[in-house]
């Protein structure tokens, strides 16, 4: 899966963005952007894909994603068929949070929230319910009155000790020069993950020596290039196991594995179940939810 870069536009006169999306279905669009994203999902049930995390979501799901973390939600089931699905999405930058915390020491906990949100945070049911009530009021408020309510939500999220990370790693920020180099490397890996990729070719793409590239990659992804490539392949296999009826051998081949036994070993090491058991778990979950 190649994540699409999404250009998030903050309207003139606004310091953060609000998107109010009413939909008949939530499509699978794998994408990323440099802003934080807070997403509340209403009247929908389905799956969310965030970094290397795949999981089910229920109505009232509330997640805060860190910058540049590939993600998507996918759903076709409305709880109330007479009402549309609703996604309330808030975007803001790290600079915005830093400026707030610098001006108002009382908001220092927002820095801690940003640091924790790198791999995405899923909030406890009680916190999600309280914050959902506030987020659902945002769209009807005059623009100047939205900011205090959003800050109230973010401060409540920062105090949620029951929040848990979803992905195994965050996309760590890099200096501008390194970011541009590594962006090209990750784009290439996401496009060609099914192929055998030589470490030397990636280092050349980043215009770095082999040793410097390896260090830079680990600072950014918190894993080796080989481990990252395996995550991409296993993630693709998980998607196919959930969304298709393809044979497991075909899914392994399509994800870049030439040897089925090797695929089964890597899948079990990553997900702690066999591919067949993984598929059955998700189908039982979808059937019971329906």
């Amino acid at each position: 899966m190649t994540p699409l870069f999404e250009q998030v536009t903050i309207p003139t006169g606004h310091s953060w963005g609000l998107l109010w999306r009413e939909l008949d279905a939530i499509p699978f669009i794998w994408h990323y952007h440099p802003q934080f994203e807070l997403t509340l999902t209403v009247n929908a049930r389905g799956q969310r894909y965030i970094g290397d995390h795949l999981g089910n979501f229920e109505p009232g799901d509330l997640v805060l994603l860190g910058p540049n973390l590939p993600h998507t939600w996918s759903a076709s089931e409305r709880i109330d068929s007479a009402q549309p699905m609703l996604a309330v999405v808030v975007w803001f930058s790290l600079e915005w949070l830093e400026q707030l915390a610098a001006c108002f020491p009382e908001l220092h906990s927002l820095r801690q929230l940003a640091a924790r949100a790198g791999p995405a945070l899923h909030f406890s049911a009680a916190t999600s319910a309280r914050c959902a009530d506030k987020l659902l009021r945002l769209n009807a408020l005059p623009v100047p009155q939205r900011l205090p309510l959003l800050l109230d939500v973010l401060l409540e999220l920062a105090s949620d000790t029951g929040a848990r990370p979803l992905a195994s790693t965050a996309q760590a920020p890099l200096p501008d020069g390194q970011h541009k180099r590594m962006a090209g490397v990750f784009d290439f890996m996401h496009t060609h993950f099914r192929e055998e990729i030589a470490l030397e070719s990636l280092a050349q793409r980043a215009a770095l020596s082999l040793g410097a590239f390896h260090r830079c990659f680990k600072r950014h992804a918190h894993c080796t290039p080989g481990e990252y490539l395996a995550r991409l392949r296993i993630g693709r296999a998980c998607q196919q196991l959930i969304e298709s009826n393809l044979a497991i051998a075909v899914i392994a081949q399509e994800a870049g594995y030439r040897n089925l036994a090797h695929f089964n070993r890597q899948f079990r090491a990553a997900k702690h179940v066999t591919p067949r058991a993984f598929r059955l778990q998700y189908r039982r979950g979808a059937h019971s939810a329906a």
Side-chain angles (χ1 to χ4, degrees), residues 105-179:
E106 298 87 347
L107 302 181
H108 175 71
S109 64
L110 298 187
R111 282 187 171 135
Q112 298 171 328
L113 176 65
R116 293 168 58 207
L121 286 175
H122 181 246
F123 297 96
S124 65
T127 296
S128 295
R130 289 192 299 269
C131 290
D133 288 340
K134 298 172 185 176
L135 290 169
L136 289 170
R137 290 159 45 199
L138 280 176
N139 201 43
L141 288 174
V143 170
Q145 295 178 25
R146 294 175 180 176
L147 179 58
L149 189 57
L150 175 61
L151 291 178
D152 191 22
V153 168
L154 293 177
L155 288 170
E156 182 146 10
L157 297 181
S159 67
D160 185 8
T161 57
R164 60 181 181 86
L166 294 178
S168 62
T169 61
Q171 295 291 332
L174 292 170
D176 284 344
Q178 290 188 16
H179 178 78

Side-chain angles (χ1 to χ4, degrees), residues 65-139:
L65 298 103
N68 297 315
L69 189 62
H71 60 278
T72 189
W73 276 248
S74 180
S76 57
E77 179 188 356
R78 286 181 285 175
I79 309 307
D80 180 352
S81 61
Q83 298 296 323
M85 297 180 185
L86 173 64
V88 181
V89 182
V90 171
W91 292 303
F92 54 87
S93 68
L94 178 60
E95 292 74 18
W96 181 75
L97 280 184
E98 290 287 354
Q99 289 169 4
L100 285 171
C103 291
F104 305 104
E106 298 87 347
L107 302 181
H108 175 71
S109 64
L110 298 187
R111 282 187 171 135
Q112 298 171 328
L113 176 65
R116 293 168 58 207
L121 286 175
H122 181 246
F123 297 96
S124 65
T127 296
S128 295
R130 289 192 299 269
C131 290
D133 288 340
K134 298 172 185 176
L135 290 169
L136 289 170
R137 290 159 45 199
L138 280 176
N139 201 43

Side-chain angles (χ1 to χ4, degrees), residues 111-272:
R111 282 187 171 135
Q112 298 171 328
L113 176 65
R116 293 168 58 207
L121 286 175
H122 181 246
F123 297 96
S124 65
T127 296
S128 295
R130 289 192 299 269
C131 290
D133 288 340
K134 298 172 185 176
L135 290 169
L136 289 170
R137 290 159 45 199
L138 280 176
N139 201 43
L141 288 174
V143 170
Q145 295 178 25
R146 294 175 180 176
L147 179 58
L149 189 57
L150 175 61
L151 291 178
D152 191 22
V153 168
L154 293 177
L155 288 170
E156 182 146 10
L157 297 181
S159 67
D160 185 8
T161 57
R164 60 181 181 86
L166 294 178
S168 62
T169 61
Q171 295 291 332
L174 292 170
D176 284 344
Q178 290 188 16
H179 178 78
K180 290 176 182 177
R181 286 175 171 176
M182 296 307 297
V185 168
F186 282 101
D187 285 345
F188 181 83
M189 293 180 76
H190 278 269
T191 303
H192 299 279
F193 66 88
R194 300 173 183 85
E195 306 166 15
E196 295 298 326
I197 302 176
L199 192 60
E200 292 79 5
S201 68
L202 295 177
Q204 290 173 3
R205 186 170 293 273
L208 293 169
S209 70
L210 197 56
F213 169 73
H214 198 269
R215 291 190 296 272
C216 185
F217 192 99
K218 288 197 74 172
R219 280 198 302 271
H220 188 79
H222 303 286
C223 65
T224 67
E227 289 167 341
Y228 189 84
L229 187 62
R231 289 176 185 172
L232 291 178
R233 290 173 172 174
I234 295 298
R236 173 61 175 175
C238 288
Q239 179 195 355
Q240 294 288 79
L241 286 165
I242 292 170
E243 297 183 350
S244 79
N245 293 315
L246 293 172
I248 290 173
V250 174
I251 289 174
Q253 185 82 11
E254 200 275 340
Y257 290 95
R258 304 295 173 258
N259 182 289
L260 182 58
H262 179 54
F263 166 69
N264 286 329
R265 285 193 298 270
Q266 284 216 337
F267 193 98
R268 191 178 185 97
K271 298 299 177 183
H272 309 293

